[in-house]
Amino acid sequence: MLRRAASDTPFQQVVHEDRLREVAGVPAWLLTVAAALLPAVTAASLTAVRHSRRPPPAPPVAAPVVLSR
């Protein structure tokens, strides 16, 4: 229910200004996400490179075949 105010004082308008935090013109949230993902991407790429450079496994040695006469 609406009621009349006790006094007729003027209202105060509140203005909020949102500012995007930046570091050297780059949004700070983007730098934070990139810094968090960098170790994971580095580890994945190092694992892929090491796996691709690994020599193929040697073929299994077959037992000699003995022919009996």
Side-chain angles (χ1 to χ4, degrees):
M1 173 181 274
L2 296 176
R3 295 185 199 165
R4 185 176 292 242
S7 64
D8 194 17
T9 57
F11 74 97
Q12 288 185 333
Q13 184 176 5
V14 178
V15 178
H16 294 279
E17 289 187 25
D18 293 330
R19 293 186 186 167
L20 183 64
R21 294 181 188 250
E22 295 180 350
V23 177
V26 179
W29 69 267
L30 185 59
L31 293 175
T32 304
V33 171
L37 290 178
L38 184 64
V41 170
T42 302
S45 61
L46 286 177
T47 302
V49 167
R50 287 181 183 171
H51 184 70
S52 68
R53 291 185 180 184
R54 186 177 298 166
V61 177
V65 177
V66 178
L67 298 176
S68 58
R69 292 185 187 190

